Amino acid sequence: MANVALIGASGNAGSRILAELSDRNHLVTAIARHPERIEYRATITLAGRRQLL
């Protein structure tokens, strides 16, 4: 299990990478402009535009 920071997690490629990382039980910090587009999973921590400003 790895800790991964994924930039662009709500985009087309990012959402697919996020799903794969989560399916493999990696701990992911998802950085996204639109964090509301990311579905909840126990292995994902969100860092969105509002949290970073």
Side-chain angles (χ1 to χ4, degrees):
M1 180 179 349
N3 292 320
V4 179
L6 179 61
I7 299 171
S10 63
N12 186 18
S15 62
R16 293 172 191 223
I17 295 167
L18 180 63
E20 185 65 30
L21 288 168
S22 183
D23 289 344
R24 294 181 183 205
N25 292 321
H26 295 294
L27 299 176
V28 183
T29 299
I31 303 167
R33 271 189 255 172
H34 304 286
E36 66 277 2
R37 294 183 185 172
I38 298 172
E39 67 180 73
Y40 172 79
R41 293 188 186 203
T43 60
I44 298 173
T45 302
L46 294 176
R49 185 176 184 163
R50 290 188 180 135
Q51 289 87 359
L52 296 175
L53 292 178

